[in-house]
Amino acid sequence: MAKLEVADAISRAQTYPHAVLAYVGPDGYPVNIAVDFTGSATGAVVDVGALDPDLRPADGQEVELTFSHIRPQPGVGYDERRYVNLWGPATPTGAGLRVAVRRASGWDEADTPFFEYAERGVPAGRDYLDELGARPRLSGLWTVFLATRLPFLTATVIPVGLGGVVAARDGAFHTLWFVLALVAAIAVHLGLNMANDLFDDANGADAANVTPTPFSGGSRVLQYGLVTRRAMVTGCATLYAVAVGLGLFLAAERGWGLLWIGAVGIVLSLAYSAPPLRLVHRGLGEPVTALGFGPVMALGAYFACTGRWSWQPVLASLPVALLIALVLYVNQIPDRAGDAASGKRTLIVRFSAAQVQTGYAVTVVGAFVCIVAEVVAGVTPAWTLLALATLPLAWRVWNGLRAHYGDPYALMPTMQSNILLHLLTGLLFVLGYVIAVVS
Amino acid sequence: MSDPTPLLPPSVIELLDVALVGELTVVDEAGLPITYPLIPLSDGNVIYLTSSVLFSRKLRHIKANPKVCLSLTDPVAVPVEPFHRATIQGDARVVEEDVHEGWERLLPMWRAKEPVIDFFLKKRFGIPLFFERSVIEITPHRVLWWEDGRASEPARVYELTGVS
């Protein structure tokens, strides 16, 4: 329950059909009984109707009035949860009472959605568990799944796959080198996700965020006490070590140029949220993401397969680079209040809602124009125009952004569609290359 | 669970069985009442409520002062015909040896009132602290009963004895 202004609370209370009067009886047990009432917000009083003479609080005794509402939903449970609590001294008025309301609290899920309400309780919940000597538990698999944010690996699979098919078009695809490059890229990505959680925990951005969703607000494993910081650091360092080890091996086998690509990738992944650069705090998260999950990964996979440099994978990755930047961009919308509070000044924090929506439109149009322009310029095969089939999905995201910008939970389907937009566009783009190679 | 022979009056058990929400009043550290709407569950002898550790203030209050009161007052949340009202006073204890799974013994009763809980339980990984829960067990001592629901009239009082 949250504290309410008395006048506001009484105004809210007047929408309920009855109240529950509670007081502590002479035997020390609380008594609560249904009562009729009329309230005056301006006078900060509530008049309670007739009471059983045996169930009356003492003159001047502190009482509480509670007003509660739900709407039953057969087969589901109920919704429209809301309640108001008022406290103050009660004085007799004939058969009833007058309560001079001095403080109030309450909750209305229409104002504070249940998931936000629950999230606001996390610090108190952690303290309570600490006192019990208990810790929240999840299976090891679920914990790894959450801590690494495994589903977001599509962001890596697409550009690395693209580097592989561009290499195939050049007649130089090599399965082993490609798979090793993919594993190295996955290790960097998962390590980056864990590093991002560690830094966002350290700077308070995740703790300040009370509207996380499955697509935003970090993994929350640290906030919920599912994983210790030490375990996160160990996991993160292990993943980066795997990436560096594989990178060194690939560089030794395929050419030292790969070392530079890997180094750029790792530096970008750390500079994204680690001090002193903390690029995402400076509104540079999107370009860094586009670079890392576009040209860097595509070129890395291409180089691992072919052992040489080329502009082809860099240019081919531009559409998916723009789309993955938009995944970050949209997923930061629900985080904006927490990000702003912790000094993480992302583009979403810096822009107005209208600017964010315009920015999305311009960039997504840019991605699709890029797909066409590259075919026209002869950079990519004509079959990559298959990727234009996802245009309706982009339209859906655009409409979702306009309709649900201010509601993190209503925005969830839009965030999901936006992730699908990157994934499906990328897959169709890769498929276009595959068709061009085999035909 | 408690003794299988119900000692609460059958009419009160009927209310508890259908009540989607009851009002639990506890006594805070200042000695003042504070009321929480919660789903009441019962086996006829003992009333059970569960509370996530996310909303643990009531648990602290009960541990400090176990005297509590639960009312069933809302015709919408307690759909019985004809409508009655009841207030149940008793002593509560907080059971939390295993906040991760201990409360799950009440799941069949909870599910009967709020079937959607199974959906959320499957997504437990997304809201893990919500499902770290304490159980509040109320041993009732006294019931105030309003046959016609008019609580302004004198209540019929049941003094309960022998409840363990």
Side-chain angles (χ1 to χ4, degrees):
Chain A
M1 60 180 70
K3 193 175 174 187
L4 295 174
E5 294 296 325
V6 167
D8 176 38
I10 294 175
S11 294
R12 289 169 185 257
Q14 285 171 316
T15 65
Y16 294 77
H18 77 279
V20 175
L21 170 73
Y23 63 94
V24 179
D27 59 359
Y29 283 91
V31 180
N32 64 12
I33 42 178
V35 292
D36 296 324
F37 73 97
T38 53
S40 164
T42 50
V45 295
V46 174
D47 288 315
V48 172
L51 286 167
D52 174 356
D54 292 337
L55 296 173
R56 293 172 69 91
D59 189 357
Q61 183 174 357
E62 282 284 321
V63 304
E64 181 203 29
L65 288 165
T66 299
F67 310 81
S68 171
H69 168 84
I70 59 156
R71 181 177 66 173
Q73 293 283 9
V76 177
Y78 52 83
D79 61 4
E80 290 187 356
R81 289 167 288 190
R82 60 177 181 264
Y83 64 89
V84 174
N85 305 103
L86 309 175
W87 287 271
T91 50
T93 53
L97 297 171
R98 168 162 283 194
V99 179
V101 181
R102 296 208 173 137
R103 63 189 172 96
S105 65
W107 173 53
D108 184 340
E109 69 176 332
D111 298 334
T112 307
F114 174 75
F115 291 107
E116 179 181 342
Y117 185 53
E119 198 65 36
R120 290 181 183 277
V122 167
R126 288 287 307 280
D127 288 346
Y128 194 76
L129 284 174
D130 286 345
E131 287 171 27
L132 294 180
R135 280 189 58 193
R137 301 199 305 264
L138 277 185
S139 71
L141 277 178
W142 271 121
T143 305
V144 169
F145 180 87
L146 287 181
T148 57
R149 290 185 257 171
L150 214 52
F152 284 97
L153 273 186
T154 55
T156 289
V157 171
I158 293 297
V160 171
L162 195 52
V165 292
V166 175
R169 197 182 184 212
D170 286 354
F173 182 78
H174 191 289
T175 305
L176 175 63
W177 305 133
F178 174 78
V179 170
L180 289 179
L182 179 62
V183 173
I186 285 173
V188 172
H189 185 177
L190 299 183
L192 152 69
N193 286 347
M194 296 180 89
N196 182 239
D197 272 353
L198 281 162
F199 289 116
D200 276 355
D201 179 57
N203 65 37
D206 280 347
N209 187 340
V210 290
T211 54
T213 72
F215 311 105
S216 61
S219 74
R220 318 297 290 178
V221 293
L222 290 168
Q223 284 70 43
Y224 297 160
L226 294 166
V227 177
T228 63
R229 282 189 65 82
R230 187 176 197 167
M232 280 292 271
V233 170
T234 304
C236 176
T238 303
L239 286 163
Y240 272 107
V242 167
V244 169
L246 278 174
L248 287 172
F249 175 71
L250 279 169
E253 291 290 327
R254 306 301 296 151
W256 291 105
L258 200 53
L259 204 59
W260 292 108
I261 301 170
V264 168
I266 286 175
V267 168
L268 283 178
S269 76
L270 288 172
Y272 176 81
S273 49
L277 293 178
R278 299 198 300 178
L279 296 171
V280 69
H281 288 240
R282 302 170 194 275
L284 294 171
E286 283 77 4
V288 168
T289 301
L291 193 58
F293 290 94
V296 172
M297 284 199 176
L299 181 59
Y302 179 88
F303 197 108
C305 286
T306 64
R308 62 174 185 267
W309 299 98
S310 168
W311 282 106
Q312 283 287 326
V314 174
L315 295 173
S317 70
L318 292 180
V320 293
L322 292 172
L323 293 178
I324 197 63
L326 287 180
V327 169
L328 174 71
Y329 186 74
V330 171
N331 287 2
Q332 285 176 337
I333 293 172
D335 300 344
R336 63 191 186 283
D339 285 347
S342 63
K344 187 175 173 182
R345 293 184 47 75
T346 62
L347 289 183
I348 303 299
V349 171
R350 292 162 192 260
F351 290 174
S352 68
Q355 287 172 322
V356 169
Q357 291 155 14
T358 303
Y360 183 87
V362 168
T363 310
V364 82
V365 167
F368 283 100
V369 166
C370 199
I371 291 170
V372 175
E374 289 186 335
V375 170
V376 171
V379 175
T380 53
W383 281 106
T384 57
L385 293 175
L386 279 172
L388 298 178
T390 60
L391 265 167
L393 201 50
W395 181 249
R396 188 194 300 173
V397 175
W398 160 243
N399 282 320
L401 275 183
R402 289 191 297 168
H404 306 299
Y405 188 84
D407 184 339
Y409 305 109
L411 193 65
M412 280 165 53
T414 300
M415 290 190 277
Q416 189 170 29
S417 295
N418 194 41
I419 292 167
L420 264 182
L421 176 65
H422 167 263
L423 175 63
L424 294 179
T425 308
L427 284 175
L428 289 170
F429 202 80
V430 168
L431 179 65
Y433 263 95
V434 171
I435 294 171
V437 169
V438 299
S439 60
Chain B
M1 299 290 174
S2 60
D3 191 308
T5 308
L7 290 176
L8 278 165
S11 51
V12 177
I13 295 174
E14 186 192 355
L15 276 193
L16 284 165
D17 283 346
V18 300
L20 293 175
V21 171
E23 297 88 18
L24 173 72
T25 300
V26 302
V27 182
D28 72 11
E29 62 275 10
L32 299 176
I34 179 165
T35 300
Y36 300 89
L38 292 171
I39 302 177
L41 310 169
S42 178
D43 61 6
N45 282 334
V46 174
I47 298 164
Y48 304 95
L49 308 126
T50 77
S51 170
S52 165
V53 298
L54 294 168
F55 314 117
S56 54
R57 258 191 4 170
K58 68 180 87 58
L59 302 171
R60 294 180 193 280
H61 293 325
I62 292 169
K63 286 180 186 175
N65 183 346
K67 293 177 178 177
V68 302
C69 180
L70 177 80
S71 62
L72 305 169
T73 67
D74 182 359
V76 175
V78 189
V80 286
E81 283 291 340
F83 181 59
H84 317 289
R85 279 186 166 125
T87 291
I88 304 158
Q89 292 176 310
D91 290 313
R93 74 183 186 108
V94 178
V95 182
E96 51 194 7
E97 282 74 26
D98 179 4
V99 290
H100 190 68
E101 292 176 333
W103 60 271
E104 289 185 11
R105 68 193 163 99
L106 301 174
L107 200 49
M109 286 193 280
W110 186 352
R111 180 182 295 126
K113 294 187 176 186
E114 195 178 22
V116 75
I117 198 60
D118 285 327
F119 171 81
F120 289 112
L121 197 51
K122 284 179 191 160
K123 299 186 181 303
R124 181 175 190 155
F125 61 89
I127 42 174
L129 265 63
F130 178 73
F131 286 110
E132 303 294 321
R133 306 186 71 85
S134 301
V135 175
I136 301 166
E137 289 187 1
I138 302 174
T139 302
H141 292 327
R142 183 183 299 120
V143 175
L144 309 177
W145 175 259
W146 292 273
E147 179 68 26
D148 61 1
R150 288 191 296 164
S152 56
E153 301 296 317
R156 179 173 176 182
V157 180
Y158 295 89
E159 297 290 349
L160 306 176
T161 55
V163 180
S164 57

